[in-house]
Amino acid sequence: MAHGPAKGLSRWLLTTNHKDIGTLYLWFSFTMFLLGGFFAMIIRAELFQPGLQLVEPEFFNQMTTMHGLVMVFGAIMPSFVGLANWMIPMMIGAPDMALPRMNNWSFWILPPTFLMLASTLFMEGGAPNFGWTFYAPLSTTYAPSTVTYFIFGVHLMGLSSIMGSINIIATVVNMRAPGMTYMKMPMFVWTWLITAFLLVAVMPVLAGLVTMMLMDVHFGTSFFSAAGGGDPVLFQHIFWFFGHPEVYIIILPGFGVVSQIIPTFSRKPLFGYDSMVYATASIAFLSFIVWAHHMYTVGMPIAGELFFMYATMLIAVPTGVKVFNWITTMWRGSLTFETPMLFAIGFVFLFTIGGFTGVMLALAPADFQYHDSYFVVAHFHYVMVAGAVFSMTAAVYYWLPKWTGKMYNESMGKAQFWVSFVGFNLTFFPQHFVGLAGMPRRIPDYALQFTDFNMMSSIGAFIYGASQLFFLFNVIRTIIAGEPVNRDKVWEGAEGLEWTVSSPPPYHTFTTPPPVK
Amino acid sequence: MAAQDDSTYEAYYVPEQSKMALCATIGLVTALIGLATAFNDMTFGEGTENTHSWLIFNLGLAFFVGTLFVWFRTTIRENRAGMNSAQLKHSYAIGMQWFIFSEVMFFAVFFGALFYVRNLVGPWLAGEGAGEMNYLLWPDFSYSWPMMETPQDSVVGGAAAQPIANNGVYTGPERDMSFPGWSNIAHWLPLWNTVILLSSSFTVHIAHLGLKQNNRAKLNLWLGITVFLGILFVSLQILEYYEAYVEYGLKLTSGIYGTTFFMLTGFHGFHVCLGMFMLLIQWLRATTAGHFTADDHFGFEASSWYWHFVDVVWVGLFLFVYIL
């Protein structure tokens, strides 16, 4: 085994090292985050005023679609996979991921896939324009011809996710250091183990779904055409059977990150560790039996509406357990508010708001008003941005000193938090109101009474977007000119094996397993 | 595996840099771009321009398959060179098990679509329950499974007089694939295929026993028989498809019955081919290179797991696609 990284570009192209691959994933996902954010800025610029100013409606549809796809599959998911690559082997005392070459393959599938997806913007017929949920028949009968590239793109992303997840499962199950029993694993590892299980379970479902689309579009099958005895609603059932676990795939690793950070800066162990594990597992189980709450308005039998309503509201129980555990961890702790802690507390506060609007949306009779309105947009951005992206940002600030051996600038970090926090809420809080008042999602123009709130939303979005460039600057500045930290345990209150190795850690850590108390 | 102490720890082999992942990506992505372009040429465009898309697909695929060959050869050589600790071997086993689980979920979605269509969509289209307004669209449609008449067929004037937009023309088949009655049972191919595939699960197990007893002749013979049964299965299925298309008028475009029939049996057949190919490789390794020992034969074991999985899927198909 080589003792250090190879020189030049081949280090990154051919690597089998979990830290290098983690770094690749993180940079790739941030690039995609900026690309998806650029699409969002176009959307918000168009919606700054009523009427059509900047883009054609057709192009606007492509922007909403590409924004969703790039953010979900290109930014959020790979960012947490990058975190898993960096942290899981160091947290469980493993020499590397279980299957290192496959790990490299999982990553390298992604850049060409997203290049292919983005290139559809310049193809005849334009990029996919049917929304990130790509409901049939918009994505079959009425689709632009680029839908075929989209379908194979989804296949490739699925392949990457499945291989990545199998790798994570094999690592966690098989590579823990002696003495690291399941119930001693850090919460981040637990949440990723459960996430990986969800991914292996539902990415094949998505692959099956896009395969059905491919056959309907090109080979005359009738899965989603009532004229042949199929049903467009079948599409929605299958999509959301994938899609609901998918939203937990996005948020569970974020739960794990916050469960690492809050104890560190509260200087107390995580309150209710066991219940955290069981709550995570319950959320994962429930995620398989609630999918139709995304489609109350399609005309399901009433028994179906009721079942999915009650099952959905049940999710609030394990989620509440988690929120209360985070708060109780902070209770009477000796708290300090470094940047990661600020983002973690921001996560708990804003994610809970997103959770509450989720319970509102779960009510079938009320949902007929909220369905496909900006209220839904506000709801899922509270859990996706303030949930997943805030926790990811917290993770970067928390582990950056470990990864690079250098400390970020604390005042710049705090400034970024407050600008993000204000920008985020300014963007998405008004969207609750316009949604309740009846503004539908995915439209380039709107009725005049929504103007003020939309202007606020757009201004907030530009502020939030700028804060991400500021974040990028802070990270690059740290890598180039940060203060060296010179200690293994960067944070005084931190626990765990990753804090027993030097900062930055050697290229290969734990080639023999460390002792675990 | 997590419970080894320091003194007995066998170093986990972390491979050096490898070009294989990058090559596999280049091959796979090239192939899929070629395939997507080829499909688009067929359906969306006029089909007059020569875009070389099939050539791109074939080149990409060849490069991808070549890379996989090198990749598997490398892992086999590493194992034979004794580089793999017991822990690493366990990682490979876990990887294969979860891969099969993902395949189970892939088939689950097609079975799920079948159940949903048969139990809910069909009756709804005919105006029952939640579909009570559908008589406005398809007043003369009555539902039965197998669906010999599509909703489109039920409209006077057929595809030309469609009340809603659709992708194309869906004409029901003349005959279905279900049980043809006791007098014709000898000509019912799915029954023979069931017998063939179920026996092949036993033959591969006998081969495994032979391997564990260090009886190489037994291994080679019964593994060879398994591969032969796999080839027989696929041949009969090709014959069955030919009959369906030419004699029964059952096609991919025959509405939802043809759709679910061909997609379920087709993906299963594709997986049989894959499993048979895996077993064939193992047979070649055993007969020509003398690979495998009684206690170290993961390539064989993983292929046989896959084969049993394919067999179980067939039992589900036979029940829900052909009999019930």
Side-chain angles (χ1 to χ4, degrees), chain A residues 18 23-24 78 91-92 126 137 149 170 173 189 201 220 225 245 269 287 324 410 412 439 449 457 466 480 484:
Chain A
H18 72 100
T23 306
L24 286 169
M91 284 176 148
I92 62 174
Y149 298 99
V173 171
V189 180
S225 178
S287 74
F324 281 118
E410 191 65 61
M412 276 170 68
M439 179 169 160
Q449 69 267 30
S457 235
I480 295 170

PDB file of all heavy atoms in Angstrom, chain A residues 18 23-24 78 91-92 126 137 149 170 173 189 201 220 225 245 269 287 324 410 412 439 449 457 466 480 484:
ATOM      1  N   HIS A  18     -10.484   6.679   0.556  1.00  0.00           N
ATOM      2  CA  HIS A  18     -11.804   7.196   0.928  1.00  0.00           C
ATOM      3  C   HIS A  18     -11.790   8.696   1.166  1.00  0.00           C
ATOM      4  O   HIS A  18     -12.775   9.384   0.899  1.00  0.00           O
ATOM      5  CB  HIS A  18     -12.331   6.465   2.165  1.00  0.00           C
ATOM      6  CG  HIS A  18     -11.634   6.824   3.449  1.00  0.00           C
ATOM      7  ND1 HIS A  18     -12.185   7.714   4.333  1.00  0.00           N
ATOM      8  CD2 HIS A  18     -10.467   6.427   3.981  1.00  0.00           C
ATOM      9  CE1 HIS A  18     -11.368   7.837   5.378  1.00  0.00           C
ATOM     10  NE2 HIS A  18     -10.324   7.063   5.186  1.00  0.00           N
ATOM     11  N   THR A  23     -13.439  13.966  -0.799  1.00  0.00           N
ATOM     12  CA  THR A  23     -13.167  15.329  -1.259  1.00  0.00           C
ATOM     13  C   THR A  23     -13.762  15.568  -2.641  1.00  0.00           C
ATOM     14  O   THR A  23     -14.380  16.607  -2.897  1.00  0.00           O
ATOM     15  CB  THR A  23     -11.645  15.565  -1.296  1.00  0.00           C
ATOM     16  OG1 THR A  23     -11.119  15.242  -0.007  1.00  0.00           O
ATOM     17  CG2 THR A  23     -11.311  16.995  -1.638  1.00  0.00           C
ATOM     18  N   LEU A  24     -13.594  14.572  -3.539  1.00  0.00           N
ATOM     19  CA  LEU A  24     -14.160  14.717  -4.885  1.00  0.00           C
ATOM     20  C   LEU A  24     -15.669  14.896  -4.817  1.00  0.00           C
ATOM     21  O   LEU A  24     -16.237  15.779  -5.472  1.00  0.00           O
ATOM     22  CB  LEU A  24     -13.832  13.477  -5.723  1.00  0.00           C
ATOM     23  CG  LEU A  24     -12.395  13.321  -6.217  1.00  0.00           C
ATOM     24  CD1 LEU A  24     -12.180  11.932  -6.779  1.00  0.00           C
ATOM     25  CD2 LEU A  24     -12.093  14.366  -7.281  1.00  0.00           C
ATOM     26  N   PRO A  78     -25.032  13.702  -3.289  1.00  0.00           N
ATOM     27  CA  PRO A  78     -23.579  13.469  -3.322  1.00  0.00           C
ATOM     28  C   PRO A  78     -22.831  14.154  -2.176  1.00  0.00           C
ATOM     29  O   PRO A  78     -21.798  13.652  -1.730  1.00  0.00           O
ATOM     30  CB  PRO A  78     -23.146  14.047  -4.669  1.00  0.00           C
ATOM     31  CG  PRO A  78     -24.366  14.063  -5.489  1.00  0.00           C
ATOM     32  CD  PRO A  78     -25.493  14.322  -4.539  1.00  0.00           C
ATOM     33  N   MET A  91     -14.681   7.184  11.719  1.00  0.00           N
ATOM     34  CA  MET A  91     -15.513   7.105  12.926  1.00  0.00           C
ATOM     35  C   MET A  91     -15.615   5.691  13.479  1.00  0.00           C
ATOM     36  O   MET A  91     -15.869   5.508  14.662  1.00  0.00           O
ATOM     37  CB  MET A  91     -16.921   7.617  12.615  1.00  0.00           C
ATOM     38  CG  MET A  91     -17.006   9.127  12.511  1.00  0.00           C
ATOM     39  SD  MET A  91     -18.670   9.589  12.027  1.00  0.00           S
ATOM     40  CE  MET A  91     -18.832  11.148  12.868  1.00  0.00           C
ATOM     41  N   ILE A  92     -15.492   4.681  12.595  1.00  0.00           N
ATOM     42  CA  ILE A  92     -15.624   3.307  13.085  1.00  0.00           C
ATOM     43  C   ILE A  92     -14.267   2.615  13.175  1.00  0.00           C
ATOM     44  O   ILE A  92     -14.193   1.434  13.500  1.00  0.00           O
ATOM     45  CB  ILE A  92     -16.582   2.469  12.207  1.00  0.00           C
ATOM     46  CG1 ILE A  92     -16.059   2.360  10.775  1.00  0.00           C
ATOM     47  CG2 ILE A  92     -17.992   3.059  12.238  1.00  0.00           C
ATOM     48  CD1 ILE A  92     -16.880   1.432   9.905  1.00  0.00           C
ATOM     49  N   GLY A 126     -34.900  21.542 -26.168  1.00  0.00           N
ATOM     50  CA  GLY A 126     -34.668  22.054 -24.820  1.00  0.00           C
ATOM     51  C   GLY A 126     -34.536  20.952 -23.782  1.00  0.00           C
ATOM     52  O   GLY A 126     -34.744  19.771 -24.053  1.00  0.00           O
ATOM     53  N   PRO A 137     -48.487  12.177 -18.105  1.00  0.00           N
ATOM     54  CA  PRO A 137     -47.945  12.065 -19.465  1.00  0.00           C
ATOM     55  C   PRO A 137     -47.053  13.235 -19.891  1.00  0.00           C
ATOM     56  O   PRO A 137     -46.607  13.244 -21.025  1.00  0.00           O
ATOM     57  CB  PRO A 137     -49.207  12.031 -20.324  1.00  0.00           C
ATOM     58  CG  PRO A 137     -50.187  12.867 -19.570  1.00  0.00           C
ATOM     59  CD  PRO A 137     -49.881  12.660 -18.118  1.00  0.00           C
ATOM     60  N   TYR A 149     -32.284  11.197 -22.816  1.00  0.00           N
ATOM     61  CA  TYR A 149     -31.019  11.415 -22.090  1.00  0.00           C
ATOM     62  C   TYR A 149     -31.286  11.524 -20.595  1.00  0.00           C
ATOM     63  O   TYR A 149     -30.512  11.047 -19.766  1.00  0.00           O
ATOM     64  CB  TYR A 149     -30.319  12.677 -22.601  1.00  0.00           C
ATOM     65  CG  TYR A 149     -29.949  12.564 -24.055  1.00  0.00           C
ATOM     66  CD1 TYR A 149     -30.730  13.138 -25.031  1.00  0.00           C
ATOM     67  CD2 TYR A 149     -28.819  11.842 -24.435  1.00  0.00           C
ATOM     68  CE1 TYR A 149     -30.419  13.013 -26.364  1.00  0.00           C
ATOM     69  CE2 TYR A 149     -28.497  11.706 -25.773  1.00  0.00           C
ATOM     70  CZ  TYR A 149     -29.302  12.294 -26.731  1.00  0.00           C
ATOM     71  OH  TYR A 149     -28.988  12.138 -28.048  1.00  0.00           O
ATOM     72  N   ALA A 170     -21.589  -2.385   3.531  1.00  0.00           N
ATOM     73  CA  ALA A 170     -20.512  -3.359   3.763  1.00  0.00           C
ATOM     74  C   ALA A 170     -19.490  -2.791   4.742  1.00  0.00           C
ATOM     75  O   ALA A 170     -18.980  -3.506   5.610  1.00  0.00           O
ATOM     76  CB  ALA A 170     -19.847  -3.727   2.441  1.00  0.00           C
ATOM     77  N   VAL A 173     -21.154  -2.693   8.352  1.00  0.00           N
ATOM     78  CA  VAL A 173     -21.427  -4.020   8.904  1.00  0.00           C
ATOM     79  C   VAL A 173     -20.125  -4.769   9.186  1.00  0.00           C
ATOM     80  O   VAL A 173     -19.998  -5.468  10.186  1.00  0.00           O
ATOM     81  CB  VAL A 173     -22.326  -4.824   7.928  1.00  0.00           C
ATOM     82  CG1 VAL A 173     -22.449  -6.271   8.351  1.00  0.00           C
ATOM     83  CG2 VAL A 173     -23.702  -4.181   7.838  1.00  0.00           C
ATOM     84  N   VAL A 189     -22.993   7.586  11.775  1.00  0.00           N
ATOM     85  CA  VAL A 189     -22.823   6.291  11.114  1.00  0.00           C
ATOM     86  C   VAL A 189     -24.157   5.542  11.082  1.00  0.00           C
ATOM     87  O   VAL A 189     -24.535   4.954  10.062  1.00  0.00           O
ATOM     88  CB  VAL A 189     -21.742   5.466  11.826  1.00  0.00           C
ATOM     89  CG1 VAL A 189     -21.557   4.124  11.146  1.00  0.00           C
ATOM     90  CG2 VAL A 189     -20.427   6.224  11.863  1.00  0.00           C
ATOM     91  N   ALA A 201     -32.987   0.114  -1.388  1.00  0.00           N
ATOM     92  CA  ALA A 201     -34.366  -0.332  -1.558  1.00  0.00           C
ATOM     93  C   ALA A 201     -35.106   0.468  -2.623  1.00  0.00           C
ATOM     94  O   ALA A 201     -35.919  -0.094  -3.350  1.00  0.00           O
ATOM     95  CB  ALA A 201     -35.122  -0.256  -0.229  1.00  0.00           C
ATOM     96  N   GLY A 220     -43.982   1.860 -27.471  1.00  0.00           N
ATOM     97  CA  GLY A 220     -45.426   1.706 -27.573  1.00  0.00           C
ATOM     98  C   GLY A 220     -46.092   0.902 -26.474  1.00  0.00           C
ATOM     99  O   GLY A 220     -47.194   0.405 -26.659  1.00  0.00           O
ATOM    100  N   SER A 225     -50.690   4.984 -20.045  1.00  0.00           N
ATOM    101  CA  SER A 225     -51.692   5.476 -20.977  1.00  0.00           C
ATOM    102  C   SER A 225     -52.991   4.715 -20.758  1.00  0.00           C
ATOM    103  O   SER A 225     -53.057   3.497 -20.931  1.00  0.00           O
ATOM    104  CB  SER A 225     -51.196   5.274 -22.410  1.00  0.00           C
ATOM    105  OG  SER A 225     -52.198   5.701 -23.289  1.00  0.00           O
ATOM    106  N   PRO A 245     -39.330   7.754   0.548  1.00  0.00           N
ATOM    107  CA  PRO A 245     -38.041   7.379   1.162  1.00  0.00           C
ATOM    108  C   PRO A 245     -36.902   8.304   0.734  1.00  0.00           C
ATOM    109  O   PRO A 245     -36.021   8.620   1.526  1.00  0.00           O
ATOM    110  CB  PRO A 245     -37.831   5.943   0.670  1.00  0.00           C
ATOM    111  CG  PRO A 245     -39.209   5.423   0.490  1.00  0.00           C
ATOM    112  CD  PRO A 245     -40.011   6.586  -0.022  1.00  0.00           C
ATOM    113  N   PRO A 269     -23.008  14.313  26.571  1.00  0.00           N
ATOM    114  CA  PRO A 269     -23.321  13.273  25.592  1.00  0.00           C
ATOM    115  C   PRO A 269     -24.720  13.476  25.009  1.00  0.00           C
ATOM    116  O   PRO A 269     -25.559  14.133  25.636  1.00  0.00           O
ATOM    117  CB  PRO A 269     -23.255  11.969  26.392  1.00  0.00           C
ATOM    118  CG  PRO A 269     -22.962  12.337  27.789  1.00  0.00           C
ATOM    119  CD  PRO A 269     -22.866  13.814  27.929  1.00  0.00           C
ATOM    120  N   SER A 287     -41.432   5.541   6.153  1.00  0.00           N
ATOM    121  CA  SER A 287     -41.303   6.218   4.859  1.00  0.00           C
ATOM    122  C   SER A 287     -41.803   5.348   3.707  1.00  0.00           C
ATOM    123  O   SER A 287     -42.109   5.854   2.642  1.00  0.00           O
ATOM    124  CB  SER A 287     -39.854   6.629   4.620  1.00  0.00           C
ATOM    125  OG  SER A 287     -39.065   5.505   4.305  1.00  0.00           O
ATOM    126  N   PHE A 324     -36.846  16.627  20.380  1.00  0.00           N
ATOM    127  CA  PHE A 324     -36.773  16.772  21.841  1.00  0.00           C
ATOM    128  C   PHE A 324     -35.419  16.317  22.369  1.00  0.00           C
ATOM    129  O   PHE A 324     -34.868  16.912  23.291  1.00  0.00           O
ATOM    130  CB  PHE A 324     -37.905  16.002  22.515  1.00  0.00           C
ATOM    131  CG  PHE A 324     -39.215  16.737  22.453  1.00  0.00           C
ATOM    132  CD1 PHE A 324     -40.305  16.213  21.788  1.00  0.00           C
ATOM    133  CD2 PHE A 324     -39.344  17.980  23.064  1.00  0.00           C
ATOM    134  CE1 PHE A 324     -41.508  16.911  21.714  1.00  0.00           C
ATOM    135  CE2 PHE A 324     -40.548  18.682  23.006  1.00  0.00           C
ATOM    136  CZ  PHE A 324     -41.631  18.141  22.325  1.00  0.00           C
ATOM    137  N   GLU A 410     -13.661  32.397  12.232  1.00  0.00           N
ATOM    138  CA  GLU A 410     -14.899  32.249  12.988  1.00  0.00           C
ATOM    139  C   GLU A 410     -15.879  33.403  12.732  1.00  0.00           C
ATOM    140  O   GLU A 410     -17.078  33.171  12.550  1.00  0.00           O
ATOM    141  CB  GLU A 410     -14.562  32.155  14.489  1.00  0.00           C
ATOM    142  CG  GLU A 410     -15.711  31.743  15.379  1.00  0.00           C
ATOM    143  CD  GLU A 410     -16.216  30.324  15.112  1.00  0.00           C
ATOM    144  OE1 GLU A 410     -15.425  29.379  15.261  1.00  0.00           O
ATOM    145  OE2 GLU A 410     -17.388  30.191  14.747  1.00  0.00           O
ATOM    146  N   MET A 412     -16.152  35.257  10.082  1.00  0.00           N
ATOM    147  CA  MET A 412     -16.743  35.114   8.759  1.00  0.00           C
ATOM    148  C   MET A 412     -17.778  34.000   8.746  1.00  0.00           C
ATOM    149  O   MET A 412     -18.832  34.106   8.112  1.00  0.00           O
ATOM    150  CB  MET A 412     -15.656  34.823   7.725  1.00  0.00           C
ATOM    151  CG  MET A 412     -14.967  36.085   7.217  1.00  0.00           C
ATOM    152  SD  MET A 412     -13.512  35.688   6.240  1.00  0.00           S
ATOM    153  CE  MET A 412     -14.232  34.929   4.816  1.00  0.00           C
ATOM    154  N   MET A 439     -51.430  30.884  -4.740  1.00  0.00           N
ATOM    155  CA  MET A 439     -50.482  30.962  -5.861  1.00  0.00           C
ATOM    156  C   MET A 439     -49.934  29.568  -6.170  1.00  0.00           C
ATOM    157  O   MET A 439     -49.348  28.928  -5.317  1.00  0.00           O
ATOM    158  CB  MET A 439     -49.316  31.889  -5.521  1.00  0.00           C
ATOM    159  CG  MET A 439     -48.288  31.972  -6.644  1.00  0.00           C
ATOM    160  SD  MET A 439     -47.107  33.291  -6.380  1.00  0.00           S
ATOM    161  CE  MET A 439     -45.778  32.763  -7.459  1.00  0.00           C
ATOM    162  N   GLN A 449     -51.855  40.434  -6.735  1.00  0.00           N
ATOM    163  CA  GLN A 449     -51.852  40.539  -5.268  1.00  0.00           C
ATOM    164  C   GLN A 449     -50.691  39.792  -4.627  1.00  0.00           C
ATOM    165  O   GLN A 449     -50.438  39.951  -3.447  1.00  0.00           O
ATOM    166  CB  GLN A 449     -53.190  40.053  -4.685  1.00  0.00           C
ATOM    167  CG  GLN A 449     -53.449  38.569  -4.798  1.00  0.00           C
ATOM    168  CD  GLN A 449     -54.224  38.227  -6.064  1.00  0.00           C
ATOM    169  OE1 GLN A 449     -54.110  38.909  -7.080  1.00  0.00           O
ATOM    170  NE2 GLN A 449     -55.024  37.170  -6.012  1.00  0.00           N
ATOM    171  N   SER A 457     -39.393  37.518  -1.504  1.00  0.00           N
ATOM    172  CA  SER A 457     -38.825  36.196  -1.753  1.00  0.00           C
ATOM    173  C   SER A 457     -37.595  36.301  -2.652  1.00  0.00           C
ATOM    174  O   SER A 457     -36.558  35.692  -2.379  1.00  0.00           O
ATOM    175  CB  SER A 457     -39.883  35.350  -2.467  1.00  0.00           C
ATOM    176  OG  SER A 457     -40.109  34.175  -1.785  1.00  0.00           O
ATOM    177  N   ALA A 466     -25.884  34.881  -2.460  1.00  0.00           N
ATOM    178  CA  ALA A 466     -24.608  35.557  -2.215  1.00  0.00           C
ATOM    179  C   ALA A 466     -23.900  34.952  -1.006  1.00  0.00           C
ATOM    180  O   ALA A 466     -22.674  34.797  -1.000  1.00  0.00           O
ATOM    181  CB  ALA A 466     -24.852  37.044  -2.005  1.00  0.00           C
ATOM    182  N   ILE A 480      -6.194  27.703   1.970  1.00  0.00           N
ATOM    183  CA  ILE A 480      -4.958  28.366   1.560  1.00  0.00           C
ATOM    184  C   ILE A 480      -4.265  29.026   2.745  1.00  0.00           C
ATOM    185  O   ILE A 480      -3.060  28.865   2.942  1.00  0.00           O
ATOM    186  CB  ILE A 480      -5.257  29.419   0.465  1.00  0.00           C
ATOM    187  CG1 ILE A 480      -5.757  28.721  -0.792  1.00  0.00           C
ATOM    188  CG2 ILE A 480      -4.006  30.244   0.142  1.00  0.00           C
ATOM    189  CD1 ILE A 480      -6.292  29.656  -1.835  1.00  0.00           C
ATOM    190  N   PRO A 484      -3.149  27.133  11.340  1.00  0.00           N
ATOM    191  CA  PRO A 484      -3.027  25.705  11.666  1.00  0.00           C
ATOM    192  C   PRO A 484      -3.639  25.415  13.035  1.00  0.00           C
ATOM    193  O   PRO A 484      -3.513  26.233  13.954  1.00  0.00           O
ATOM    194  CB  PRO A 484      -1.520  25.473  11.680  1.00  0.00           C
ATOM    195  CG  PRO A 484      -0.950  26.599  10.892  1.00  0.00           C
ATOM    196  CD  PRO A 484      -1.860  27.765  11.102  1.00  0.00           C
TER     197      PRO A 484
END
